[in-house]
Amino acid sequence: MGHYLIVGSGLSGLAIAETLLREGHRVTVFDDGSQKASMVAGGLYNPVVLKRFNLTWEGKRLMDVALPFYKALEKKLGVDVDEKISILRLFASEGEQNKWFEATDQPGLSEYLSTSVLSNTNKAIRAPHGYGEVLHTGRVHTARLLSAYREYLADLGSFQRAAFCFSELQIEKDGVRYRGLQAEGVIFSEGFGLRSNPFFNYLPLEGNKGELLEIYAPDLKESRVIKGGVFIIPTGADHYLAGATYSRSYEGAEPTAEAREKLLKGLHKFVQCDFEVTRQWAGIRPTVPDRRPLVGVHPEYSSLYVINGMGSRGVLIAPYAARCLAGLILRAEPLPEGLDCTRFSHGYQRSKKQV
C-alpha cells in the first residue's frame, strides 16, 4: 500500500484521491482554499459542443468513465450529487435546426442528440424555432460533492487545510518526505495555482475567468437546462444559475459589473419574464492552449506528478484523467497522447536554460 500526497482538492484532486483510494493506497490531501473554480462551477456534463454541434474530445469515453464514478461516490458518501437533467439547445434560426439534424447523422453523435425538434410551450421564454435536446446529460453539484468528500478525507485523517510549502519538500531516491510524512510521490492538482508551482510552472497553463449569476424568477417555471446565448440551470425554489462568462483578460478573481451586464444581456434575449439577481460568483478556470488536460510526471523528478487544466469540462474530464494518471503511477501504463504533459517538455528545457 503506497502513500501519495495530493496538493489541491478541486475536481482533479478529488478524482485522483478517490482513484488511488479505490486501488488500496493512502493519500494525504492539502488545500488552503485559495482556488475556488470547482466550487463555483455549474457542474453540467454533456459530451456535445453545443456551439458547433460536434462531439467533444473523447466524449463517449469521458461519459463512460465519469457517470459510474459519480454514482459510486454518491453511494460511498451518502449524498446525492448527480442530478439527471435535460439540456436543451435553443435554436436561433431554421438554419440552426438544419445543422442540428445534420449533426445527428455524424458518427458518435446520434447517441446523444435527439432527432426531434421540441416546441417551446413556456410563455416566459422566447424560442420561436424550438429546441434540440441533448440526451444522457446531467449536473454534478460540485460544491456539495467537494464539501462531502473533504469531510470524508478529514474523517480518515487524510485532509489538511493548509498551503503546501514547496521549500519543505524533500525529494529522495525512493520517494518524497514532507513535514514528517514519507510518501511515494506528490501529485499537484492545485488548479490555476499551478502557475506558482516551481516544479510545473513551465507548463502553459492559462487562466480563464468565469462568472455566474443566481437569479430568482418565480414566473419562469422551467425544469430543464436551456442553452441560448447563456445557459440557465434550475436549482429549485424558483432560483436559477445563469452563466457563464469566459474571459482570458481580467484583473483579480472577484465578480465584476461588466460580466454581470454581459450575462443579463444574454438572458434578456430569451427570458421574457421579470427576475431578480440574488448572487454573483467568479472563479479562474485552469485552461491549456490546446484545450487538453495536463497529466503526467515531471521531466526530471519521477516522484512528482501533475493533473490539471480541466477547463470548463472538469466534471466530465477529471475522472478519466485520474484513471489514466493512476495507471501511469501504479503500473507504468502509458498516457493517452492527448493528456500527456510531455507534449510541452520543450518548455521545461527552455526554462532550465533561462535559469
Side-chain angles (χ1 to χ4, degrees):
M1 183 174 66
H3 182 203
Y4 294 89
L5 310 183
I6 299 172
V7 183
S9 64
L11 287 169
S12 296
L14 176 152
I16 189 59
E18 177 62 12
T19 302
L20 290 172
L21 286 171
R22 290 181 187 181
E23 295 249 16
H25 299 277
R26 291 192 301 128
V27 300
T28 300
V29 179
F30 300 83
D31 194 312
D32 64 357
S34 62
Q35 303 301 316
K36 303 182 184 298
S38 292
M39 289 293 285
V40 302
L44 295 178
Y45 59 81
N46 92 85
V48 181
V49 180
L50 291 177
K51 185 176 182 179
R52 296 183 293 274
F53 304 154
N54 63 331
L55 201 64
T56 188
W57 171 78
E58 294 285 11
K60 178 173 173 53
R61 189 188 304 273
L62 299 181
M63 291 282 283
D64 289 345
V65 174
L67 299 192
F69 179 84
Y70 293 118
K71 183 176 182 180
L73 272 178
E74 286 185 315
K75 183 177 181 180
K76 179 175 186 172
L77 301 174
V79 295
D80 294 327
V81 298
D82 183 0
E83 176 187 4
K84 305 303 181 184
I85 187 169
S86 295
I87 297 180
L88 305 184
R89 170 59 155 82
L90 188 152
F91 294 133
S93 64
E94 290 185 4
E96 282 199 339
Q97 286 184 358
N98 293 333
K99 289 181 179 178
W100 178 273
F101 286 123
E102 291 173 5
T104 61
D105 290 329
Q106 294 180 18
L109 275 174
S110 59
E111 181 178 351
Y112 299 107
L113 300 184
S114 170
T115 56
S116 300
V117 172
L118 300 182
S119 299
N120 177 47
T121 58
N122 189 336
K123 294 181 179 180
I125 294 178
R126 184 186 299 109
H129 302 287
Y131 310 101
E133 182 179 10
V134 188
L135 308 176
H136 313 301
T137 57
R139 178 192 178 208
V140 172
H141 293 258
T142 55
R144 186 185 307 165
L145 170 63
L146 293 172
S147 295
Y149 199 76
R150 289 165 185 170
E151 288 182 12
Y152 162 74
L153 289 174
D155 289 342
L156 291 179
S158 299
F159 185 78
Q160 295 192 24
R161 175 66 72 176
F164 189 85
C165 184
F166 299 102
S167 63
E168 295 187 42
L169 177 64
Q170 302 172 48
I171 302 173
E172 302 176 341
K173 184 177 180 180
D174 57 350
V176 298
R177 186 180 299 275
Y178 180 76
R179 293 183 176 176
L181 295 173
Q182 186 73 34
E184 274 64 36
V186 185
I187 303 167
F188 294 103
S189 59
E190 63 262 63
F192 190 57
L194 190 75
R195 292 282 295 269
S196 301
N197 185 313
F199 301 107
F200 287 102
N201 59 8
Y202 71 91
L203 292 172
L205 194 73
E206 300 176 346
N208 187 312
K209 187 175 182 179
E211 300 195 40
L212 290 170
L213 299 180
E214 180 188 68
I215 63 172
Y216 174 63
D219 297 324
L220 186 50
K221 304 303 180 188
E222 184 56 63
S223 61
R224 302 160 298 182
V225 174
I226 296 179
K227 176 68 170 70
V230 297
F231 63 69
I232 56 172
I233 305 174
T235 58
D238 296 322
H239 284 77
Y240 302 81
L241 294 181
T245 60
Y246 298 84
S247 178
R248 297 185 184 278
S249 177
Y250 55 88
E251 293 183 6
E254 298 303 314
T256 64
E258 180 183 4
R260 177 188 174 107
E261 290 306 311
K262 184 175 183 178
L263 291 172
L264 289 175
K265 183 178 180 180
L267 281 171
H268 286 306
K269 287 182 178 180
F270 67 96
V271 176
Q272 300 186 119
C273 64
D274 293 334
F275 59 84
E276 173 190 357
V277 177
T278 54
R279 194 173 176 186
Q280 183 174 351
W281 296 273
I284 309 298
R285 308 180 189 93
T287 61
V288 185
D290 65 2
R291 299 184 179 183
R292 299 288 183 268
L294 299 171
V295 181
V297 63
H298 190 272
E300 187 174 351
Y301 304 113
S302 60
S303 56
L304 305 184
Y305 304 91
V306 64
I307 177 169
N308 210 315
M310 303 295 126
S312 60
R313 294 183 181 270
V315 161
L316 198 54
I317 297 175
Y320 174 66
R323 173 185 287 188
C324 293
L325 180 56
L328 172 70
I329 295 172
L330 303 177
R331 293 175 290 276
E333 296 173 357
L335 290 168
E337 186 176 342
L339 292 177
D340 197 338
C341 65
T342 58
R343 67 191 190 274
F344 297 115
S345 58
H346 59 279
Y348 181 69
Q349 299 303 324
R350 186 165 55 244
S351 67
K352 286 189 68 176
K353 289 179 181 179
Q354 291 175 349
V355 173

